[in-house]
Amino acid sequence: MDRYVCQICGYVYDPDQGDPDNGIAPGTPFEKLPDDWTCPVCGASKSEFEKE
């Protein structure tokens, strides 16, 4: 699965890790994140992320 990088702050969404602090289970691909998911570091929307 592809990792995605926030173009605002550099946070990397790694699907192997998920985002458990925000209810996203490990193994969740970026494409399956809810539309209202935001970067846990800076709050940027999914549209601010690019494939690593």
Side-chain angles (χ1 to χ4, degrees):
M1 286 186 280
D2 295 317
R3 293 168 23 132
Y4 283 75
V5 180
C6 178
Q7 299 303 297
I8 305 296
C9 72
Y11 168 80
V12 176
Y13 176 76
D14 184 345
D16 291 336
Q17 303 290 320
D19 182 13
D21 291 343
N22 292 298
I24 307 299
T28 303
F30 186 81
E31 295 81 5
K32 299 280 184 177
L33 293 174
D35 290 338
D36 62 351
W37 180 83
T38 59
C39 176
V41 174
C42 73
S45 67
K46 283 178 65 178
S47 64
E48 298 292 343
F49 281 73
E50 291 186 5
K51 193 182 295 188
E52 187 174 51

